[in-house]
Amino acid sequence: MMRFLLLFSRQGKLRLQKWFTPIPEREKKKIIREMTTMVLARQPRSCNFLHWKDLKIIYKRYASLYFCLAIENHENELLALEVIHRYVELLDKYFGNVCELDIIFNFEKAYFILDEFLLGGEIQETSKQIVNRCIESSDMLQEDDSSEWYEVELFG
Amino acid sequence: MPTVSKGDGMRGLAVFISDIRNCKSKEAEIKRINKELANIRSKFKGDKALDGYSKKKYVCKLLFIFLLGHDIDFGHMEAVNLLSSNKYTEKQIGYLFISVLVNSNSDLIRLINNGIKNDLASRNPTFMNLALHCIANVGSREMAEAFAFEIPSILVAGDTMDSVKQSAALCLLRLNRTSPDLVPMGEWTARVVHLLNDQHLGVVTAATSLITTLAQKSPDDFKTSISLAVARLSRIVTSASIDLQDYTYYFVAAPWLSVKLLRLLQCYPPPEDAALRSRLTECLETILNKAQEPPKSKKVQHSNAKNAVLFEAISLIIHHDSEPTLLVRACNQLGQFLQHRETNLRYLALESMCTLASSEFSHEAVKTHIDTVINALKTERDVSVRQRAVDLLYAMCDRSNAKQIVAEMLSYLETADYSIREEIVLKVAILAEKYAVDYTWYVDTILNLIRVAGDYVSEEVWYRVIQIVINRDDVQGYAAKTVFEALHAPACHENLVKVGGYILGEFGNLIAGDSRSSPLVQFSLLHSKFHLCSVPTRALLLSAYIKFINLFPEVKATIQDVLRSDSQLRNADVELQQRAVEYLKLSCIASTDILATVLEEMPPFPERESSILAKLKRKKGPGKLPDIDENRRNVNGSSEHSFRPPFTDVLNLNSSPSTGPSLLVDVFSDSSTSVSVDVSEDNFSRFVCKNNGVIYENQLLQIGLKSEYRQNLGRIYVFYGNKTSTQFLSFSSFLNVHAKSVDPIIEGGAQVQQILNIECVSDFTDAPVLNIQFRYGGTLQNIAVKLPVMLNKFFQPTEMTSQDFFQRWKQLGAPQQEVQKIFKAQYPMDTDVTKAKVLVLLCWNGVDPNPANFVGAGVIHTKSTQGGLPPQTGMYRLTLRTSRESVSQRLCELLGEQF
């Protein structure tokens, strides 16, 4: 199974974190630190796989973002790379030419898409069409109550 | 204001996020966040009820703050409230907040469960999915308790939507991982297997994940999945790439599902059914063939997906380990990848070949790639690839190529990355020992290792070289000569000084004939390093010096002068000072004979698993170390790997030789007291309910027992078996019970018998210890064995009616007379086995508790015992009542370990 997925920028800023097993917050912060330093230190044209503790770390860089997926030891590395790629494609399809800012400002959407794609550390649906249809139909469900759009807020 | 917001954009959230992004410093960010937190808190606390949208927006802001790495201590309740909203996006944010922030033991779980329950019952597939996602994300025990019964029925119900089935399958998988005891197996399992036939490939993929996990735990229950998985796989690999529509990924048919199916099949041995087996072989061949076809796309995604399936197929082939042709084809395929321009493929090929190297069919085929692998070690830019190359060289090593591989690893070590040096050192040390034909090569290799990477040579490695040198007299002279020469290097590593000190201290005499390495030269050479060394090494050198005094009387005066110097006798370090004082005194007052006895050559170490191997295993974690055993895996194709006994004793010098003090540096510590030996009680507990068997065994001696008991008397026949071909001389045993003396000589391969008569005088807890001493090949061996004489051996059954029994039981009602223990079953609970054990232990017949008689001190104490053993929940309750507190206690200890 997959254990966690992290998205971070070249500066090491975390953009998305998904944990598939319960881990205490302190431990999470430690892992995030370790992953960012480890992955960012890799030379270009190195392979995309690392051994880390009893896990395999699969990482790939898309534009300014690093995707870093931890899988268990017996799992398939190449397919894990394609898990990352498929997720990028899903984000791309939804946002239209996705960039780091989309994920920052619409982080909740990034999580929703991920939940449709992966669940409990396993692949749930590999069909791009089906996942996209799912996300889009839930967007259709949103209530178009325009009054709320212009609500005066204390902070912004 | 960026316009990147999409869908139901929450304007306030976007503004907040851009504010945070505009913060110039961490302090400014914290300030902005605190301001926002105060705002949200006041909104939540305010009198005015918040509408759904605001609640959603604030919850979302809190989530954002949390994901930035700040603590959030409120808002959970509002998030839970969102679950009951009938607006999808509000519900969705509520669930997201809970998935991210609620840890599995939160007290909110009950409320959350309520929301989930409603959504599961809603029959609205979108809501059901949200609820199932939440269970899978949080996966707490309370959730398992609440929903583990319901989810299987959702999964297999005919009218459930496909997407809900997928979520339900993975949700169940998660609960099975976190709380397996709460997920009931039942008739649904058979129906889950049939999901492998489902039309919807997404459902099949999710179901395969679930089945694989369940099959790993109880393979027999899911055996039927094999044929379905093979059929499904066969359909996929033979399909045209367009057949599977959106499940075709860059011209590869359903790669995820294929890999999952291949993974599932790795839970089982090769199918027994011939037709099924050949169909699977066909699939695997097709996959191997496809690897040779020209790519359908230049995209890396295409080759990754295709090769992912290929590597998984190779894993299955290796797992089955039964089809030589497939294994060799797999090996050839990987051989091609070794030279591929994609670094990833080279990495994976090296990794995969490691496992192939352990199969006897493909070991030779793997070996043909040795030059490529060595080249990879030298030329790969990426350290993780080089590391895999080291692993593979280690795995493919055998007697035929050991010298080449060890030499290559040694030369790589000079430039290797610091992070992997220690591991390489361990590997070189293991290979050098394992495949040493002549031990001079071994000694050279280890000394080279210390020279090249002294800092990374752990204690275990230099301990081991000393063990080997001490155990093999054919290499001792060479070792002495070699270390002597190595010590001449201007800057030699401290580890070399340790090895040198130890070996010259033991075997310096073997090279002392040569005037170039006369005793005085040896001593001066060692002493020239002394001042540069750490305290432990200096302590070791002092011990070497005292050994020199024994070996070479002519340097006695020189060494005494050194010991007498202020820098030794008044050394600030207590250990060094003590050694100097004691060694000096010893050298002054002891006669030559006493000195020779005290400073005798170290006895051979018992042969055990290499401590270095144990260390490497610890370092790599279980299962990661390729098996370099000469007996490669069997041809049987079964999934079990050959049984290797677990090493219980991670040996190092400190616990090694069976006679008295172990390290040379300890030579003095025990000499004033009698030799103390660890008492062996490994097999002791096995004798609680049996009377005959082997109580002790090492590489020299086996001790067997036959015993019988009547009332307060016992007789034990002890059989000493000499396992070697040499005589044991001055054999003796002492015991605190009456024993007929035993013959002082045991011929090689012979067995002698000794009879011990035992009388139980009063109740006791300590078992007698049998001390054995004998000479084997000039060295004195001491063995101490705890004899299995236990209180319960003196039980005598007594017929008693049930009425009498219970009367007696009640009489023994004082609190200190009763001992009760509740414990978990260590062995499978079988009523008959349990009854049989109780029978032996307590002389208790039948289902009615019968009393037993206890004889001690010449007086008969009547005691009764009741064993209440309800075979439920894996627990036993043992209740004992006797007239004496100590008796109850001891019996409870003894019996408690037996079930």
Side-chain angles (χ1 to χ4, degrees), chain A residues 82 89 122 125 127 153, chain B residues 57 246-247 249-250 260:
Chain A
E82 295 320 299
E89 285 182 348
E122 300 286 347
E125 179 54 81
S127 156
E153 290 173 88
Chain B
K57 185 182 66 190
D246 207 34
Y247 289 92
Y249 181 82
Y250 290 87
K260 289 267 171 221

Side-chain angles (χ1 to χ4, degrees), chain A residues 78-79 82, chain B residues 249 252 255 300-310:
Chain A
L78 288 174
L79 211 55
E82 295 320 299
Chain B
Y249 181 82
V252 181
V300 67
Q301 283 75 30
H302 171 69
S303 88
N304 279 351
K306 189 167 136 182
N307 292 325
V309 178
L310 176 64

